[in-house]
Amino acid sequence: MAKHATAQERLFALRETIAKLEGKTPTLVSEEPQGERMAATGKGSRRIALGVDELDAALEGGLPLDGMTEIRTCAMRNAGAGSGFVLALAALIQQQAKAPALLWISDRFSNVEAGLPYPIGLAQYGLQVRHFLHALPKKLEDALWLAETAAASGALAATILEIRGNPSAFGLSESRRLSLRAKAARRPILLLRHASEEEASSAVFRFHAEPGPAAERVLPNGTMLGGSIGFPVFRLTLEKSRNPAPLSFLLEWNSRDRQFCPARQPEPSRLAGDATAHSGPRLPASADGSDRAAALGRLLAFDRAS
Amino acid sequence: MRLTALDEVATELGLRHGQGLAEARAMYPAIDVAEEDPTADRALLEAIADWCDRYTPLVALDGSDGLFLDITGCTHLFGGEQALLDDILLRLFQMGFKVQGAISGSPGLSWAICRFGHGGVIEDGGGEEVLASLPVASLRIGGETIAALNKLGLKQVGDLLSMPRAGLARRFGGHLLLRLDQALGHEEEPISPRRPVALLSIERKLAEAIQAEEEILELAARMALSLRASLEARGVGGRVFELVLFRVDGRVFRISAGASRPLRDPQKIAGLFTERLKSVHDELDAGFGFELFRLNVLQHDLCEASQDNLLGKAEGEAPLADLIDRVSARLGEDVLQAFQLRESHIPERAVFAHPALGHEAETGGKPYPAVMTERERPLRLLARPEPVEAFAAIVPDGPPSRFRWRRVLHDVARAEGPERISPEWWLDQETAQERDYFRLEVASGHRFWVYRQGHYSADYRPTWHMHGIFA
């Protein structure tokens, strides 16, 4: 009997290790009713829900607050969408954090291309600008050191690191270092990569961000103001996660209420080469004029030519 | 080309200042000529002045070839005035400089004795006697006055001393008498030190020079510990610290580090220098080691005493301030910025960035003074508005229907605007044009902030600019 108990114990420890490796809370895998023990040993990672049920389910509860999340754009022209999504996440985190300070570590080239963060715009976007710090390091090594130090200090609600492309100086080992720091200090790092390829990294999740057409502004009576530009919409693809396939969705950031909601319009069908679904001309049938000329000759139903 | 400086051999040969180079070469074909480099001379003089900091913090440059040291209250540290002078002259001689030095009650007298006398220490009251035998040029007066005095047969200062002052003043102006009084010590003459005097300072002289970074930091921490008592006595904490390292061969390194709040804790002060040393690592050449260390407090602020709790941690620790200090020390103060608002409608003027170091807002003190605009502003603002090729669909006030920015053609799907922003005539010229801003969403879903500068008219086509990017 005693031997059986030891075997059970070992089996249990192994299960717990595997669960940790997979990043799940051990309670999810345990079938045995050993609840109180779980509560004592297993500390689940802290998550922040994005408020969209479908997405939160895909993210297993939300964005990890003790890890690194990567947001990438495929081209520099999408910098607005990438920055917008990152800052929306930061606003969500800042809202709930005890220490509200945010640090944006920018990349010089991206600043020239896409502009510097603009505080009034940030405030309207839902961030507390009083607690917004902006860093302009000269080199990538400095930026990495800064991100590491900032995350490890635990003084910030979130650290945003902006990088352009896939520099060789920021490889797998550097990203691993960053995510370990984040894990140790239990503070999130948001990695914003402009104009980059998909690359293996130790980020927990990776999003691909593109801009989507914004919905129209909602008037107080519930109708839409035609031709207006409302809250920003992002076309996001969850590229790296535990889901078997990448997940695409349209998300709207409501900067007034500081929350995400699924965008209302359906996703337009995306065919290769941006071709429209109905390739023929869609002219209305003429109503009050003469009909088109009938085809000349007689129409015969021939058999297939043999 | 003319000769501007001569060494001993050349002087013995009979060459003079201002002599033509060709003439000197004709007399002595073997002379060695080096072109004058005033900047290098200046740098050398400043390096020597830095080195002289070991004797007193008050060191002033005098022309291109002299230094004033205010040694009031310092002499006892070096065993008296004569010992101090001997020490300076000996050390400089060993470095290869021929230096004349004098100690006296006034800068003017020392200057005169150094350049026209034999140097040495002049006791108080002995100035008049020594000065009397020196030529009038030793009074630091202009060439014309010297010539005029010589013409009258007044060759030595002693001749002037016996003359009635009123006549001298009438004939040569007040400047001559002022110089005379300054030399005799009747008139106070301040020297202007090169560097601000540290508020607090602590020094360690080492018997054996040290080189390693860890040893330097350890020493800095120990000096900071000794500094703590003086800081506490004044009820202040240091904001700007400076570590001065005197290398064995006379080179001096200064490393300064700022803190975002008044600091007293020795470990934290040493921590600032840990980051600073890492960032100046390449420039700090230890050579044969450093023999003299000084820790200066250049700026301090009131700081409430806080009591440590039982765990040894002071109440109200500020991890953010620590982070700002560390980053500013390592990467420079300009790297980390915070933002402030300003009352202006012009978007780029409504905001300014300033170093986060010394920023009060994050400590929760100062609210934002300026009122933020209600109109929508972009997330990212381009440093300079970029020209855009565009035409308004509806003249004169409409948004563009398509535009070309950075060689990419965008079709405008929707537009909001215009928001008209007038120039600030009290800053800009009066000819500055109004801007009409539009929020545009293009067919691909990107959202931009574009403005038109000026208005369409019969003979004027306004320019369009891209100014910002929305999410």
Side-chain angles (χ1 to χ4, degrees):
Chain A
M1 196 63 200
K3 201 172 176 189
H4 179 69
T6 347
Q8 277 277 323
E9 183 87 3
R10 282 198 59 191
L11 186 66
F12 183 76
L14 283 173
R15 262 199 196 131
E16 202 175 348
T17 318
I18 290 167
K20 243 183 215 161
L21 285 176
E22 287 180 338
K24 289 181 196 156
T25 46
T27 32
L28 291 178
V29 290
S30 76
E31 294 103 354
E32 287 110 319
Q34 297 198 13
E36 62 268 36
R37 185 191 162 135
M38 284 299 166
T41 54
K43 253 202 228 161
S45 74
R46 293 193 303 140
R47 302 269 170 152
I48 183 164
L50 299 190
V52 180
D53 295 338
E54 222 174 296
L55 181 55
D56 284 336
L59 296 177
E60 298 162 39
L63 215 63
L65 282 178
D66 52 355
M68 189 162 73
T69 307
E70 185 175 330
I71 291 94
R72 83 173 179 101
T73 59
C74 58
M76 206 64 204
R77 62 170 184 273
N78 291 344
S83 322
F85 183 54
V86 165
L87 286 167
L89 294 176
L92 268 187
I93 295 169
Q94 193 181 34
Q95 212 176 352
Q96 299 190 1
K98 249 187 252 166
L102 283 180
L103 174 64
W104 173 290
I105 305 168
S106 54
D107 163 57
R108 285 190 177 239
F109 187 85
S110 311
N111 276 347
V112 174
E113 282 281 300
L116 288 154
Y118 186 58
I120 299 179
L122 297 179
Q124 288 170 353
Y125 203 64
L127 290 144
Q128 302 165 37
V129 187
R130 234 150 63 82
H131 302 288
F132 188 86
L133 292 171
H134 176 230
L136 261 170
K138 288 191 188 71
K139 293 177 287 185
L140 181 61
E141 293 82 62
D142 290 348
L144 291 177
W145 174 84
L146 184 51
E148 244 181 65
T149 317
S153 74
L156 301 163
T159 310
I160 303 166
L161 176 62
E162 188 182 30
I163 286 183
R164 182 178 58 95
N166 301 69
S168 56
F170 185 75
L172 197 54
S173 56
E174 283 82 8
S175 102
R176 174 116 184 99
R177 263 179 84 105
L178 272 188
S179 73
L180 284 178
R181 288 287 155 137
K183 205 170 195 102
R186 301 176 75 79
R187 287 286 189 277
I189 293 181
L190 301 171
L191 178 67
L192 174 59
R193 261 185 207 264
H194 294 300
S196 66
E197 304 288 319
E198 274 183 71
E199 191 187 67
S201 77
S202 61
V204 184
F205 298 117
R206 183 174 60 237
F207 291 93
H208 175 238
E210 281 174 299
E216 294 170 334
R217 285 178 199 272
V218 184
L219 294 173
N221 62 2
T223 55
M224 306 283 240
L225 178 64
S228 62
I229 307 169
F231 293 122
V233 172
F234 311 109
R235 179 174 293 137
L236 298 169
T237 309
L238 183 55
E239 286 180 340
K240 184 185 176 188
S241 69
R242 291 189 190 286
N243 297 301
L247 186 71
S248 282
F249 43 91
L250 279 167
L251 213 57
E252 185 183 88
W253 169 247
N254 185 331
S255 52
R256 199 181 49 222
D257 299 342
R258 291 189 204 164
Q259 64 180 19
F260 284 110
C261 48
R264 265 156 287 192
Q265 71 252 49
E267 178 149 18
S269 65
R270 298 183 70 207
L271 297 179
D274 279 336
T276 46
H278 304 282
S279 54
R282 285 212 279 165
L283 297 170
S286 55
D288 198 20
S290 56
D291 195 6
R292 66 181 167 197
L296 291 173
R298 289 175 68 185
L299 225 60
L300 294 174
F302 289 112
D303 287 336
R304 268 179 78 116
S306 54
Chain B
M1 290 225 264
R2 300 200 165 267
L3 303 182
T4 56
L6 304 159
D7 66 356
E8 294 102 329
V9 182
T11 323
E12 270 175 31
L13 288 177
L15 297 176
R16 299 183 319 274
H17 270 277
Q19 204 169 20
L21 177 63
E23 188 189 341
R25 276 239 169 91
M27 288 161 72
Y28 304 101
I31 54 168
D32 222 3
V33 181
E35 209 165 313
E36 189 185 14
D37 184 354
T39 28
D41 287 347
R42 182 89 186 166
L44 179 66
L45 188 66
E46 292 200 339
I48 299 173
D50 265 341
W51 177 84
C52 284
D53 264 0
R54 59 172 58 218
Y55 296 107
T56 165
L58 298 167
V59 180
L61 298 181
D62 169 39
S64 61
D65 58 351
L67 291 177
F68 280 124
L69 271 65
D70 186 346
I71 52 162
T72 315
C74 302
T75 49
H76 66 280
L77 299 170
F78 301 92
E81 289 175 352
Q82 189 63 51
L84 172 65
L85 187 60
D86 290 347
D87 187 56
I88 298 181
L89 295 183
L90 181 67
R91 279 171 185 260
L92 284 173
F93 177 75
Q94 283 167 348
M95 287 184 208
F97 297 110
K98 185 175 173 246
V99 182
Q100 187 83 259
I103 293 180
S104 74
S106 72
L109 185 58
S110 296
W111 193 90
I113 296 164
C114 276
R115 289 173 197 257
F116 294 92
H118 303 288
V121 178
I122 310 298
E123 297 299 327
D124 281 346
E128 205 171 316
E129 190 187 323
V130 182
L131 201 60
S133 61
L134 296 179
V136 284
S138 66
L139 287 179
R140 295 181 287 167
I141 47 181
E144 278 176 36
T145 322
I146 296 172
L149 285 170
N150 284 346
K151 223 173 180 176
L152 295 174
L154 302 168
K155 303 232 157 127
Q156 291 183 331
V157 181
D159 301 337
L160 293 176
L161 291 176
S162 53
M163 300 284 287
R165 290 173 63 90
L168 280 179
R170 201 163 54 238
R171 187 136 190 175
F172 301 103
H175 188 66
L176 175 67
L177 289 179
L178 176 73
R179 286 302 195 194
L180 194 61
D181 287 345
Q182 280 177 346
L184 292 172
H186 300 323
E187 192 87 27
E188 198 62 34
E189 183 188 1
I191 65 167
S192 43
R194 299 166 59 234
R195 299 181 176 281
V197 182
L199 300 164
L200 282 169
S201 177
I202 192 148
E203 197 176 286
R204 285 271 187 284
K205 215 177 250 177
L206 303 183
E208 198 173 328
I210 59 172
Q211 291 162 307
E213 216 166 84
E214 300 83 59
E215 289 175 321
I216 296 173
L217 285 172
E218 163 123 31
L219 195 68
R222 262 193 259 159
M223 291 201 288
L225 190 64
S226 332
L227 209 55
R228 186 179 190 158
S230 333
L231 286 171
E232 272 169 5
R234 293 184 178 205
V236 294
R239 286 293 289 267
V240 181
F241 296 90
E242 186 186 47
L243 188 65
V244 192
L245 309 167
F246 294 80
R247 207 165 70 178
V248 177
D249 61 356
R251 233 184 119 184
V252 180
F253 294 89
R254 291 169 188 276
I255 303 164
S256 61
S260 59
R261 75 218 128 100
L263 281 188
R264 258 184 221 165
D265 184 9
Q267 285 313 318
K268 288 216 169 109
I269 297 172
L272 290 181
F273 287 107
T274 316
E275 302 298 344
R276 280 299 286 152
L277 280 180
K278 273 190 196 126
S279 75
V280 298
H281 189 262
D282 296 336
E283 294 150 41
L284 190 72
D285 178 10
F288 291 105
F290 301 103
E291 54 171 352
L292 183 67
F293 287 79
R294 184 179 292 157
L295 182 64
N296 290 334
V297 181
L298 296 184
Q299 203 182 319
H300 61 42
D301 259 339
L302 289 182
C303 151
E304 296 120 43
S306 61
Q307 193 168 9
D308 291 3
N309 62 16
L310 285 174
L311 292 170
K313 265 202 154 181
E315 299 282 330
E317 291 268 297
L320 185 60
D322 276 346
L323 175 69
I324 292 174
D325 288 353
R326 283 186 66 193
V327 174
S328 304
R330 169 98 172 230
L331 304 179
E333 287 180 18
D334 299 334
V335 165
L336 208 57
Q337 298 175 328
F339 295 108
Q340 285 283 344
L341 299 186
R342 215 175 354 212
E343 298 273 359
S344 174
H345 292 294
I346 309 283
E348 60 266 34
R349 284 195 195 137
V351 164
F352 67 100
H354 59 89
L357 196 70
H359 176 42
E360 309 298 326
E362 95 272 329
T363 50
K366 222 161 49 183
Y368 260 39
V371 180
M372 252 190 270
T373 172
E374 292 289 310
R375 311 302 297 263
E376 276 198 64
R377 292 284 178 261
L379 268 190
R380 307 187 71 145
L381 197 74
L382 294 172
R384 287 183 167 279
E386 292 179 13
V388 166
E389 224 178 282
F391 301 99
I394 312 157
V395 177
D397 282 336
S401 57
R402 53 166 48 186
F403 64 91
R404 191 186 293 277
W405 178 49
R406 289 181 181 162
R407 284 175 291 196
V408 178
L409 194 64
H410 297 278
D411 275 312
V412 176
R414 278 180 285 177
E416 282 187 346
E419 179 192 348
R420 180 158 296 175
I421 297 181
S422 296
E424 295 175 331
W425 55 263
W426 55 98
L427 291 176
D428 306 312
Q429 287 149 10
E430 282 189 40
T431 50
Q433 288 166 315
E434 288 176 339
R435 296 176 181 178
D436 277 355
Y437 278 91
F438 292 93
R439 279 184 84 202
L440 303 180
E441 184 177 281
V442 297
S444 52
H446 299 92
R447 284 166 284 272
F448 298 112
W449 208 37
V450 171
Y451 71 86
R452 190 190 68 232
Q453 188 148 26
H455 303 286
Y456 280 102
S457 67
D459 52 349
Y460 180 71
R461 257 179 46 193
T463 49
W464 288 84
H465 299 268
M466 172 69 61
H467 204 179
I469 293 165
F470 285 97

